[in-house]
RNA sequence: GCCCCUAUCGUCUAUCGGCUAGGACACCAGAUUCUCAAUCUGGGAAGCCGGGUUCGAUUCCCGGUGGGGGCGCCA
């Protein structure tokens, strides 16, 4: 194991931002690539929040993406506790050190009232050696020049983000801070804090931000900003992860589809983009489609089952039957949330029928009913109920009747599934089984509510 | 207001000074197909602007402009 130690330090707001998810991914990939350690630290400084569930949103989200941490909640580790709220003594100790060394001082704010502790910030420009942005030298700006020192402990005794963040990173021996570029301007403050505490600043790597499709900042209220939206919409973790890793990072080749192992192998900081990236829903959707087709069947079942269960389609269904159904619809729906509508007719007799499909297939051609009846007779004589035998039987019948196979296929599809689109007809018939198919063909006229 | 980052097809990106600027998504056209997809072939589509450096700049430097971020007793 190398000496690299990185961390993802989210605040439990009950919400995992897609940008945060990517930050976590980059940290994870860097840790795995270097053989280092990935730490998860929860920055729950705000007392009056229901952190229980909020923390779970984060841990569930990370696990969903397949990002496991080496130290953190549920796992512990040698540098805990991993909840900031449980580290108050440590923070207090460090504040005292700053006070003792005169790097910080108590300050009575006459205007607002109350006494705070302020850090004596350097007046000199500070250079941030950044692994992605290069050396960034930042002088104080006009407002900072007016009052360079900043508050590190509030009047209620609670230390602020800048302080606890730096202290925890020191204590947890973090070597590389990979975080959003929105923190770049504040990094001089952090470096000054490190110096005042006699600690070697870690390496910094500020990654570009994720923007909305129109280029505006992606904030919490924006559609598509939360990871759980993608989870609920039925995206595959593999697809989201793959898409996210390509936002602001490039493997420097034409490959687009990358397994986790390939990402880990190729990921490094110099290939991280320096400019912000817009979130391209279309590309994510395409990538999702790729995974929907190529996911191993077992994985497809694993990810699809919850959506079927939620729709109440799985009760009493044999496991093997479910697997066979999913095997033939794989690649058809683009999202797992669409799975129920693609498969209802496999699980219920009262499946919905698409009026438009019925009208189009039977509307202008009353002979379709006769053809359907003939097809039923034909199928009734098929003893080897396999898609190949059914395929052959149907084509033979079409030939002897002097019609195109399609004239039988379409009515049959609508009769057994209620819709015009679906998986390969013959595979559908095979999985549905002979009894059910013959029954549906016989009942087609009433069931399709057509006379 | 001040400070910082940034700038290649609509979008994500490749290019370590030599470019007829490559790939992917999306889009358009055709092929194929039992539906829907998928797949295949082809097409249109970019170096923000202005200076410099150089034999030569998309690539390096400066300025402008655009975009983003920061300047809290938020994180």
């Amino acid at each position: 194991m190398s000496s690299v130690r990185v961390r993802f330090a989210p605040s439990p707001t009950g919400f995992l931002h897609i940008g945060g998810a990517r930050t976590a991914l980059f940290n994870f990939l860097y840790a795995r690539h270097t053989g280092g350690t990935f730490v998860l630290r929860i920055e729950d400084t705000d007392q009056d929040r229901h952190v229980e569930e909020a923390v779970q949103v984060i841990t569930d989200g990370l696990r969903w993406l397949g990002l496991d941490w080496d130290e953190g909640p549920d796992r512990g580790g040698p540098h805990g506790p991993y909840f900031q709220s449980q580290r108050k003594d440590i923070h207090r100790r460090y504040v005292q050190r700053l006070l003792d060394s005169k790097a910080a001082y108590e300050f009575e704010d006459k205007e607002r009232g109350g006494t705070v502790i302020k850090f004596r910030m350097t007046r000199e420009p500070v250079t941030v050696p950044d692994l992605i942005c290069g050396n960034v030298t930042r002088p104080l700006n006009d407002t900072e020049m007016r009052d360079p020192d900043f508050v590190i402990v509030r009047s209620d005794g609670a230390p602020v983000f800048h302080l606890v963040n730096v202290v925890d990173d020191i204590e947890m021996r973090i070597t590389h801070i990979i975080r959003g570029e929105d923190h770049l301007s504040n990094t001089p403050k952090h470096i000054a804090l490190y110096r005042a505490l006699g600690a070697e600043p870690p390496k910094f790597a500020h990654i570009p931000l994720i923007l909305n499709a129109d280029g505006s900042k992606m904030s919490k209220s924006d559609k598509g900003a939360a990871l759980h939206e993608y989870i609920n919409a039925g995206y595959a973790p593999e697809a989201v992860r793959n898409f996210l890793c390509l936002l602001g990072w490039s493997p420097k080749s034409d490959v687009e589809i990358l397994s986790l192992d390939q990402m880990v192998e190729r990921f490094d900081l110099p290939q991280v983009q320096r400019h912000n990236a817009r979130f391209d829903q279309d590309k994510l959707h395409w990538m999702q489609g790729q995974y929907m087709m190529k996911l191993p069947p077992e994985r497809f079942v694993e990810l699809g089952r919850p959506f079927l269960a939620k729709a109440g389609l799985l009760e009493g269904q044999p496991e093997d039957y479910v697997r066979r159904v999913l095997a033939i619809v794989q690649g058809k729906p683009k999202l797992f949330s669409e799975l129920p509508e693609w498969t209802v007719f496999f699980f219920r007799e009262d499946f919905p029928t698409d009026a438009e499909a019925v009208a189009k297939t039977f509307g202008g051609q009353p002979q379709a009913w006769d053809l359907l009846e003939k097809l039923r007779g034909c199928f009734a004589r098929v003893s080897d109920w396999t898609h190949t035998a059914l395929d052959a039987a149907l084509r033979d019948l079409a030939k002897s009747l002097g019609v195109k196979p399609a004239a039988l296929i379409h009515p049959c599809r609508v009769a057994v599934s209620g819709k015009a689109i679906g998986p390969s007809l013959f595979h559908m018939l095979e999985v549905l089984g002979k009894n059910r198919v013959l029954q549906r063909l016989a009942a087609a006229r009433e069931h399709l509510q057509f006379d």
Side-chain angles (χ1 to χ4, degrees), chain A residues 258-309:
Chain A
L258 292 150
S259 68
L260 226 201
D261 286 344
Q262 291 172 313
M263 282 178 217
V264 167
E265 189 190 326
R266 302 179 190 205
F267 185 85
D268 208 348
L269 268 7
Q271 299 125 24
V272 174
Q273 219 64 33
R274 306 165 74 142
H275 62 265
N276 297 338
R278 300 184 188 203
F279 197 92
D280 185 357
Q281 224 88 31
D282 282 338
K283 185 127 186 190
L284 168 60
H285 203 253
W286 167 78
M287 193 156 279
Q288 165 71 3
Q290 294 296 302
Y291 279 95
M292 286 301 259
M293 287 186 291
K294 294 168 189 166
L295 238 29
E298 325 82 63
R299 178 66 171 156
F300 187 79
V301 172
E302 181 188 354
L303 292 172
R305 186 189 280 107
F307 288 87
L308 293 175

Short mmCIF file of all heavy atoms in Angstrom, two decimals, chain A residues 258-309:
data_model
loop_
_atom_site.label_atom_id
_atom_site.label_comp_id
_atom_site.label_asym_id
_atom_site.label_seq_id
_atom_site.Cartn_x
_atom_site.Cartn_y
_atom_site.Cartn_z
N LEU A 258 -15.57 2.09 -20.26
CA LEU A 258 -14.47 1.65 -19.41
C LEU A 258 -15.03 0.90 -18.19
O LEU A 258 -15.95 1.37 -17.54
CB LEU A 258 -13.70 2.86 -18.89
CG LEU A 258 -12.89 3.67 -19.89
CD1 LEU A 258 -12.80 5.11 -19.45
CD2 LEU A 258 -11.51 3.09 -20.04
N SER A 259 -14.44 -0.23 -17.91
CA SER A 259 -14.82 -0.94 -16.69
C SER A 259 -14.14 -0.25 -15.52
O SER A 259 -13.22 0.55 -15.71
CB SER A 259 -14.35 -2.39 -16.77
OG SER A 259 -12.94 -2.44 -16.72
N LEU A 260 -14.58 -0.55 -14.33
CA LEU A 260 -13.97 0.06 -13.15
C LEU A 260 -12.47 -0.22 -13.13
O LEU A 260 -11.67 0.67 -12.86
CB LEU A 260 -14.60 -0.51 -11.88
CG LEU A 260 -15.02 0.47 -10.78
CD1 LEU A 260 -15.14 -0.23 -9.46
CD2 LEU A 260 -14.10 1.66 -10.67
N ASP A 261 -12.10 -1.44 -13.44
CA ASP A 261 -10.69 -1.79 -13.44
C ASP A 261 -9.89 -0.96 -14.43
O ASP A 261 -8.78 -0.52 -14.15
CB ASP A 261 -10.50 -3.28 -13.75
CG ASP A 261 -10.91 -4.16 -12.58
OD1 ASP A 261 -11.03 -3.61 -11.46
OD2 ASP A 261 -11.09 -5.37 -12.78
N GLN A 262 -10.48 -0.76 -15.59
CA GLN A 262 -9.78 0.04 -16.61
C GLN A 262 -9.64 1.48 -16.17
O GLN A 262 -8.63 2.13 -16.42
CB GLN A 262 -10.53 -0.03 -17.94
CG GLN A 262 -10.46 -1.40 -18.59
CD GLN A 262 -11.37 -1.51 -19.81
OE1 GLN A 262 -12.54 -1.12 -19.75
NE2 GLN A 262 -10.85 -2.03 -20.89
N MET A 263 -10.69 1.99 -15.52
CA MET A 263 -10.62 3.36 -15.01
C MET A 263 -9.50 3.48 -13.99
O MET A 263 -8.69 4.41 -14.04
CB MET A 263 -11.92 3.72 -14.28
CG MET A 263 -13.07 4.07 -15.16
SD MET A 263 -14.51 4.42 -14.09
CE MET A 263 -15.79 3.70 -15.11
N VAL A 264 -9.47 2.55 -13.07
CA VAL A 264 -8.46 2.57 -12.02
C VAL A 264 -7.07 2.53 -12.63
O VAL A 264 -6.17 3.26 -12.24
CB VAL A 264 -8.65 1.38 -11.05
CG1 VAL A 264 -7.43 1.21 -10.15
CG2 VAL A 264 -9.90 1.58 -10.21
N GLU A 265 -6.92 1.68 -13.62
CA GLU A 265 -5.63 1.52 -14.25
C GLU A 265 -5.17 2.79 -14.95
O GLU A 265 -4.01 3.18 -14.87
CB GLU A 265 -5.71 0.37 -15.27
CG GLU A 265 -4.38 -0.04 -15.82
CD GLU A 265 -4.54 -0.99 -17.00
OE1 GLU A 265 -5.51 -1.80 -16.97
OE2 GLU A 265 -3.74 -0.92 -17.94
N ARG A 266 -6.10 3.47 -15.61
CA ARG A 266 -5.72 4.64 -16.40
C ARG A 266 -5.83 5.98 -15.70
O ARG A 266 -5.26 6.97 -16.15
CB ARG A 266 -6.58 4.69 -17.66
CG ARG A 266 -6.43 3.44 -18.49
CD ARG A 266 -7.30 3.51 -19.71
NE ARG A 266 -7.31 2.20 -20.36
CZ ARG A 266 -7.54 2.02 -21.65
NH1 ARG A 266 -7.80 3.06 -22.41
NH2 ARG A 266 -7.53 0.81 -22.17
N PHE A 267 -6.59 6.05 -14.64
CA PHE A 267 -6.84 7.35 -14.04
C PHE A 267 -5.59 7.98 -13.43
O PHE A 267 -4.82 7.32 -12.74
CB PHE A 267 -7.91 7.26 -12.94
CG PHE A 267 -8.28 8.60 -12.39
CD1 PHE A 267 -9.24 9.38 -13.03
CD2 PHE A 267 -7.64 9.12 -11.27
CE1 PHE A 267 -9.56 10.64 -12.55
CE2 PHE A 267 -7.95 10.38 -10.78
CZ PHE A 267 -8.92 11.15 -11.43
N ASP A 268 -5.41 9.25 -13.74
CA ASP A 268 -4.37 10.01 -13.05
C ASP A 268 -4.71 11.49 -13.15
O ASP A 268 -5.45 11.90 -14.05
CB ASP A 268 -2.98 9.72 -13.65
CG ASP A 268 -1.88 9.90 -12.60
OD1 ASP A 268 -2.17 10.45 -11.53
OD2 ASP A 268 -0.73 9.50 -12.86
N LEU A 269 -4.13 12.25 -12.26
CA LEU A 269 -4.46 13.67 -12.18
C LEU A 269 -4.06 14.53 -13.39
O LEU A 269 -4.81 15.44 -13.76
CB LEU A 269 -3.85 14.25 -10.90
CG LEU A 269 -4.72 14.27 -9.63
CD1 LEU A 269 -6.05 13.55 -9.78
CD2 LEU A 269 -3.96 13.78 -8.43
N PRO A 270 -2.90 14.28 -14.00
CA PRO A 270 -2.53 15.15 -15.13
C PRO A 270 -3.53 15.12 -16.29
O PRO A 270 -3.61 16.06 -17.06
CB PRO A 270 -1.18 14.58 -15.58
CG PRO A 270 -0.63 13.93 -14.37
CD PRO A 270 -1.82 13.36 -13.66
N GLN A 271 -4.30 14.06 -16.40
CA GLN A 271 -5.26 13.98 -17.50
C GLN A 271 -6.60 14.61 -17.16
O GLN A 271 -7.55 14.52 -17.92
CB GLN A 271 -5.49 12.53 -17.90
CG GLN A 271 -4.24 11.85 -18.38
CD GLN A 271 -3.98 10.60 -17.59
OE1 GLN A 271 -4.87 10.00 -17.02
NE2 GLN A 271 -2.72 10.18 -17.54
N VAL A 272 -6.65 15.23 -15.99
CA VAL A 272 -7.90 15.89 -15.63
C VAL A 272 -7.97 17.23 -16.34
O VAL A 272 -6.99 17.97 -16.39
CB VAL A 272 -8.00 16.09 -14.10
CG1 VAL A 272 -9.24 16.92 -13.75
CG2 VAL A 272 -8.07 14.74 -13.40
N GLN A 273 -9.12 17.49 -16.88
CA GLN A 273 -9.39 18.72 -17.62
C GLN A 273 -9.31 19.94 -16.71
O GLN A 273 -9.54 19.83 -15.51
CB GLN A 273 -10.81 18.61 -18.19
CG GLN A 273 -10.95 19.16 -19.57
CD GLN A 273 -10.13 18.39 -20.57
OE1 GLN A 273 -9.95 17.19 -20.44
NE2 GLN A 273 -9.63 19.06 -21.59
N ARG A 274 -9.00 21.09 -17.27
CA ARG A 274 -8.92 22.28 -16.43
C ARG A 274 -10.16 23.13 -16.55
O ARG A 274 -10.37 24.06 -15.77
CB ARG A 274 -7.70 23.10 -16.81
CG ARG A 274 -6.44 22.26 -16.79
CD ARG A 274 -5.31 22.94 -17.50
NE ARG A 274 -4.79 24.04 -16.70
CZ ARG A 274 -3.51 24.34 -16.62
NH1 ARG A 274 -2.63 23.64 -17.30
NH2 ARG A 274 -3.10 25.34 -15.90
N HIS A 275 -10.97 22.87 -17.56
CA HIS A 275 -12.18 23.69 -17.70
C HIS A 275 -13.42 22.89 -17.30
O HIS A 275 -13.43 21.66 -17.33
CB HIS A 275 -12.30 24.21 -19.12
CG HIS A 275 -12.43 23.13 -20.15
ND1 HIS A 275 -11.35 22.64 -20.83
CD2 HIS A 275 -13.50 22.45 -20.59
CE1 HIS A 275 -11.76 21.69 -21.66
NE2 HIS A 275 -13.06 21.55 -21.53
N ASN A 276 -14.44 23.64 -16.95
CA ASN A 276 -15.68 23.00 -16.52
C ASN A 276 -16.32 22.20 -17.64
O ASN A 276 -16.08 22.46 -18.81
CB ASN A 276 -16.67 24.07 -16.04
CG ASN A 276 -16.14 24.81 -14.83
OD1 ASN A 276 -15.28 24.30 -14.11
ND2 ASN A 276 -16.65 26.00 -14.59
N ALA A 277 -17.14 21.25 -17.25
CA ALA A 277 -17.81 20.41 -18.25
C ALA A 277 -19.32 20.50 -18.09
O ALA A 277 -19.83 20.57 -16.98
CB ALA A 277 -17.36 18.97 -18.10
N ARG A 278 -20.01 20.50 -19.20
CA ARG A 278 -21.47 20.51 -19.13
C ARG A 278 -21.97 19.07 -19.07
O ARG A 278 -21.37 18.17 -19.64
CB ARG A 278 -22.06 21.19 -20.37
CG ARG A 278 -21.60 22.62 -20.51
CD ARG A 278 -22.26 23.28 -21.68
NE ARG A 278 -21.67 24.59 -21.90
CZ ARG A 278 -22.29 25.58 -22.54
NH1 ARG A 278 -23.50 25.38 -23.03
NH2 ARG A 278 -21.71 26.73 -22.71
N PHE A 279 -23.06 18.93 -18.39
CA PHE A 279 -23.64 17.60 -18.22
C PHE A 279 -24.48 17.27 -19.44
O PHE A 279 -25.50 17.90 -19.69
CB PHE A 279 -24.51 17.60 -16.95
CG PHE A 279 -24.82 16.23 -16.46
CD1 PHE A 279 -24.00 15.61 -15.52
CD2 PHE A 279 -25.93 15.55 -16.93
CE1 PHE A 279 -24.29 14.34 -15.06
CE2 PHE A 279 -26.21 14.27 -16.47
CZ PHE A 279 -25.40 13.67 -15.54
N ASP A 280 -24.05 16.27 -20.20
CA ASP A 280 -24.73 15.92 -21.44
C ASP A 280 -25.64 14.71 -21.23
O ASP A 280 -25.21 13.56 -21.29
CB ASP A 280 -23.68 15.62 -22.52
CG ASP A 280 -24.31 15.36 -23.88
OD1 ASP A 280 -25.56 15.35 -23.97
OD2 ASP A 280 -23.57 15.17 -24.84
N GLN A 281 -26.90 15.01 -21.00
CA GLN A 281 -27.89 13.97 -20.72
C GLN A 281 -27.95 12.92 -21.85
O GLN A 281 -28.10 11.74 -21.60
CB GLN A 281 -29.27 14.60 -20.56
CG GLN A 281 -30.06 14.08 -19.39
CD GLN A 281 -29.76 14.84 -18.12
OE1 GLN A 281 -29.46 16.03 -18.17
NE2 GLN A 281 -29.83 14.18 -16.98
N ASP A 282 -27.83 13.40 -23.08
CA ASP A 282 -27.91 12.49 -24.23
C ASP A 282 -26.81 11.44 -24.20
O ASP A 282 -27.03 10.27 -24.50
CB ASP A 282 -27.81 13.28 -25.54
CG ASP A 282 -29.11 13.97 -25.88
OD1 ASP A 282 -30.17 13.52 -25.38
OD2 ASP A 282 -29.09 14.96 -26.63
N LYS A 283 -25.63 11.90 -23.85
CA LYS A 283 -24.52 10.96 -23.84
C LYS A 283 -24.66 9.94 -22.70
O LYS A 283 -24.35 8.76 -22.86
CB LYS A 283 -23.20 11.70 -23.71
CG LYS A 283 -22.00 10.79 -23.80
CD LYS A 283 -21.02 11.25 -24.83
CE LYS A 283 -19.89 10.24 -25.01
NZ LYS A 283 -18.82 10.78 -25.84
N LEU A 284 -25.13 10.43 -21.57
CA LEU A 284 -25.38 9.52 -20.45
C LEU A 284 -26.42 8.47 -20.88
O LEU A 284 -26.27 7.29 -20.59
CB LEU A 284 -25.89 10.29 -19.24
CG LEU A 284 -26.46 9.43 -18.10
CD1 LEU A 284 -25.40 8.47 -17.56
CD2 LEU A 284 -26.99 10.30 -16.98
N HIS A 285 -27.43 8.93 -21.57
CA HIS A 285 -28.50 8.04 -22.00
C HIS A 285 -27.97 6.99 -22.97
O HIS A 285 -28.32 5.82 -22.92
CB HIS A 285 -29.62 8.85 -22.64
CG HIS A 285 -30.94 8.15 -22.61
ND1 HIS A 285 -31.52 7.61 -23.74
CD2 HIS A 285 -31.78 7.87 -21.60
CE1 HIS A 285 -32.65 7.03 -23.41
NE2 HIS A 285 -32.84 7.17 -22.13
N TRP A 286 -27.11 7.43 -23.85
CA TRP A 286 -26.50 6.50 -24.80
C TRP A 286 -25.66 5.46 -24.06
O TRP A 286 -25.73 4.26 -24.32
CB TRP A 286 -25.61 7.26 -25.78
CG TRP A 286 -24.72 6.36 -26.59
CD1 TRP A 286 -25.07 5.62 -27.67
CD2 TRP A 286 -23.32 6.09 -26.33
NE1 TRP A 286 -23.98 4.89 -28.12
CE2 TRP A 286 -22.90 5.17 -27.32
CE3 TRP A 286 -22.40 6.54 -25.39
CZ2 TRP A 286 -21.59 4.68 -27.37
CZ3 TRP A 286 -21.10 6.06 -25.44
CH2 TRP A 286 -20.71 5.13 -26.42
N MET A 287 -24.88 5.96 -23.10
CA MET A 287 -24.02 5.06 -22.35
C MET A 287 -24.87 4.06 -21.57
O MET A 287 -24.53 2.88 -21.48
CB MET A 287 -23.14 5.87 -21.41
CG MET A 287 -22.03 5.06 -20.84
SD MET A 287 -20.66 6.08 -20.34
CE MET A 287 -19.80 6.41 -21.85
N GLN A 288 -25.95 4.55 -21.00
CA GLN A 288 -26.88 3.68 -20.29
C GLN A 288 -27.37 2.57 -21.23
O GLN A 288 -27.42 1.41 -20.86
CB GLN A 288 -28.06 4.53 -19.79
CG GLN A 288 -29.26 3.74 -19.34
CD GLN A 288 -29.03 2.99 -18.04
OE1 GLN A 288 -27.96 3.10 -17.43
NE2 GLN A 288 -29.98 2.19 -17.65
N GLY A 289 -27.70 2.95 -22.46
CA GLY A 289 -28.16 1.98 -23.44
C GLY A 289 -27.10 0.92 -23.71
O GLY A 289 -27.40 -0.26 -23.85
N GLN A 290 -25.86 1.36 -23.77
CA GLN A 290 -24.76 0.42 -23.99
C GLN A 290 -24.71 -0.62 -22.89
O GLN A 290 -24.57 -1.81 -23.14
CB GLN A 290 -23.43 1.18 -24.03
CG GLN A 290 -23.28 2.14 -25.21
CD GLN A 290 -23.27 1.39 -26.53
OE1 GLN A 290 -22.44 0.53 -26.77
NE2 GLN A 290 -24.20 1.74 -27.41
N TYR A 291 -24.82 -0.13 -21.66
CA TYR A 291 -24.76 -1.06 -20.53
C TYR A 291 -26.00 -1.94 -20.45
O TYR A 291 -25.92 -3.10 -20.06
CB TYR A 291 -24.51 -0.30 -19.22
CG TYR A 291 -23.06 0.05 -19.02
CD1 TYR A 291 -22.54 1.28 -19.39
CD2 TYR A 291 -22.18 -0.90 -18.51
CE1 TYR A 291 -21.19 1.58 -19.24
CE2 TYR A 291 -20.82 -0.62 -18.35
CZ TYR A 291 -20.33 0.63 -18.72
OH TYR A 291 -19.00 0.91 -18.57
N MET A 292 -27.14 -1.38 -20.82
CA MET A 292 -28.37 -2.18 -20.77
C MET A 292 -28.26 -3.38 -21.69
O MET A 292 -28.79 -4.45 -21.42
CB MET A 292 -29.58 -1.33 -21.18
CG MET A 292 -30.00 -0.34 -20.12
SD MET A 292 -30.44 -1.10 -18.55
CE MET A 292 -32.22 -1.09 -18.65
N MET A 293 -27.56 -3.20 -22.79
CA MET A 293 -27.41 -4.31 -23.74
C MET A 293 -26.32 -5.27 -23.32
O MET A 293 -26.44 -6.48 -23.53
CB MET A 293 -27.05 -3.75 -25.12
CG MET A 293 -28.21 -3.07 -25.82
SD MET A 293 -27.77 -2.60 -27.50
CE MET A 293 -26.58 -1.30 -27.24
N LYS A 294 -25.25 -4.73 -22.75
CA LYS A 294 -24.07 -5.56 -22.51
C LYS A 294 -23.89 -6.08 -21.08
O LYS A 294 -22.97 -6.86 -20.83
CB LYS A 294 -22.83 -4.77 -22.92
CG LYS A 294 -22.79 -4.52 -24.43
CD LYS A 294 -21.73 -3.52 -24.80
CE LYS A 294 -21.86 -3.12 -26.28
NZ LYS A 294 -21.09 -1.91 -26.61
N LEU A 295 -24.75 -5.62 -20.19
CA LEU A 295 -24.65 -6.09 -18.81
C LEU A 295 -24.76 -7.61 -18.78
O LEU A 295 -25.57 -8.19 -19.51
CB LEU A 295 -25.81 -5.50 -18.02
CG LEU A 295 -25.60 -4.64 -16.77
CD1 LEU A 295 -24.30 -3.87 -16.78
CD2 LEU A 295 -26.79 -3.70 -16.60
N PRO A 296 -24.00 -8.30 -17.95
CA PRO A 296 -24.17 -9.75 -17.82
C PRO A 296 -25.61 -10.03 -17.39
O PRO A 296 -26.15 -9.27 -16.57
CB PRO A 296 -23.20 -10.13 -16.70
CG PRO A 296 -22.19 -9.03 -16.68
CD PRO A 296 -22.92 -7.79 -17.10
N PRO A 297 -26.23 -11.08 -17.91
CA PRO A 297 -27.64 -11.37 -17.60
C PRO A 297 -27.95 -11.37 -16.10
O PRO A 297 -28.97 -10.84 -15.68
CB PRO A 297 -27.84 -12.76 -18.19
CG PRO A 297 -26.86 -12.82 -19.31
CD PRO A 297 -25.68 -12.03 -18.86
N GLU A 298 -27.06 -11.94 -15.31
CA GLU A 298 -27.31 -11.99 -13.86
C GLU A 298 -27.38 -10.58 -13.29
O GLU A 298 -28.17 -10.29 -12.39
CB GLU A 298 -26.21 -12.76 -13.11
CG GLU A 298 -25.61 -13.94 -13.85
CD GLU A 298 -24.54 -13.51 -14.83
OE1 GLU A 298 -23.51 -12.96 -14.39
OE2 GLU A 298 -24.72 -13.70 -16.06
N ARG A 299 -26.50 -9.73 -13.78
CA ARG A 299 -26.46 -8.36 -13.30
C ARG A 299 -27.72 -7.61 -13.74
O ARG A 299 -28.27 -6.80 -13.00
CB ARG A 299 -25.20 -7.67 -13.84
CG ARG A 299 -25.04 -6.21 -13.47
CD ARG A 299 -24.83 -6.02 -11.97
NE ARG A 299 -24.46 -4.64 -11.68
CZ ARG A 299 -24.64 -4.04 -10.52
NH1 ARG A 299 -25.19 -4.73 -9.52
NH2 ARG A 299 -24.27 -2.79 -10.33
N PHE A 300 -28.16 -7.92 -14.95
CA PHE A 300 -29.38 -7.29 -15.46
C PHE A 300 -30.56 -7.66 -14.57
O PHE A 300 -31.40 -6.83 -14.23
CB PHE A 300 -29.63 -7.73 -16.91
CG PHE A 300 -30.75 -7.00 -17.58
CD1 PHE A 300 -30.57 -5.72 -18.08
CD2 PHE A 300 -32.01 -7.59 -17.70
CE1 PHE A 300 -31.62 -5.04 -18.70
CE2 PHE A 300 -33.05 -6.92 -18.30
CZ PHE A 300 -32.85 -5.63 -18.81
N VAL A 301 -30.62 -8.91 -14.18
CA VAL A 301 -31.69 -9.38 -13.31
C VAL A 301 -31.58 -8.70 -11.94
O VAL A 301 -32.56 -8.22 -11.39
CB VAL A 301 -31.61 -10.92 -13.12
CG1 VAL A 301 -32.60 -11.38 -12.06
CG2 VAL A 301 -31.88 -11.62 -14.45
N GLU A 302 -30.37 -8.66 -11.43
CA GLU A 302 -30.14 -8.07 -10.12
C GLU A 302 -30.61 -6.61 -10.08
O GLU A 302 -31.25 -6.19 -9.12
CB GLU A 302 -28.64 -8.14 -9.80
CG GLU A 302 -28.25 -7.58 -8.45
CD GLU A 302 -26.74 -7.49 -8.28
OE1 GLU A 302 -25.99 -7.97 -9.17
OE2 GLU A 302 -26.31 -6.93 -7.27
N LEU A 303 -30.28 -5.87 -11.11
CA LEU A 303 -30.66 -4.46 -11.14
C LEU A 303 -32.12 -4.24 -11.51
O LEU A 303 -32.74 -3.27 -11.10
CB LEU A 303 -29.76 -3.69 -12.13
CG LEU A 303 -28.29 -3.56 -11.74
CD1 LEU A 303 -27.47 -2.97 -12.89
CD2 LEU A 303 -28.14 -2.70 -10.49
N GLY A 304 -32.66 -5.17 -12.31
CA GLY A 304 -34.03 -5.00 -12.77
C GLY A 304 -35.09 -5.47 -11.79
O GLY A 304 -36.17 -4.89 -11.72
N ARG A 305 -34.78 -6.49 -11.02
CA ARG A 305 -35.76 -7.06 -10.11
C ARG A 305 -36.45 -6.05 -9.19
O ARG A 305 -37.68 -6.07 -9.07
CB ARG A 305 -35.13 -8.17 -9.27
CG ARG A 305 -36.18 -8.89 -8.42
CD ARG A 305 -35.60 -9.84 -7.41
NE ARG A 305 -35.22 -11.11 -7.98
CZ ARG A 305 -33.98 -11.50 -8.19
NH1 ARG A 305 -33.00 -10.69 -7.88
NH2 ARG A 305 -33.73 -12.67 -8.71
N PRO A 306 -35.70 -5.14 -8.56
CA PRO A 306 -36.36 -4.19 -7.67
C PRO A 306 -37.45 -3.37 -8.36
O PRO A 306 -38.47 -3.04 -7.75
CB PRO A 306 -35.21 -3.28 -7.22
CG PRO A 306 -33.98 -4.10 -7.39
CD PRO A 306 -34.24 -4.98 -8.57
N PHE A 307 -37.24 -3.05 -9.60
CA PHE A 307 -38.23 -2.25 -10.31
C PHE A 307 -39.50 -3.06 -10.61
O PHE A 307 -40.59 -2.53 -10.61
CB PHE A 307 -37.62 -1.68 -11.60
CG PHE A 307 -36.63 -0.58 -11.34
CD1 PHE A 307 -35.30 -0.87 -11.10
CD2 PHE A 307 -37.03 0.75 -11.30
CE1 PHE A 307 -34.37 0.14 -10.83
CE2 PHE A 307 -36.12 1.77 -11.03
CZ PHE A 307 -34.80 1.46 -10.79
N LEU A 308 -39.30 -4.35 -10.87
CA LEU A 308 -40.45 -5.22 -11.11
C LEU A 308 -41.20 -5.46 -9.80
O LEU A 308 -42.43 -5.46 -9.76
CB LEU A 308 -39.99 -6.55 -11.71
CG LEU A 308 -39.40 -6.47 -13.11
CD1 LEU A 308 -38.87 -7.84 -13.53
CD2 LEU A 308 -40.44 -5.97 -14.11
N ALA A 309 -40.44 -5.64 -8.75
CA ALA A 309 -41.05 -5.90 -7.44
C ALA A 309 -41.86 -4.69 -7.01
O ALA A 309 -42.98 -4.81 -6.51
CB ALA A 309 -39.96 -6.20 -6.42
#
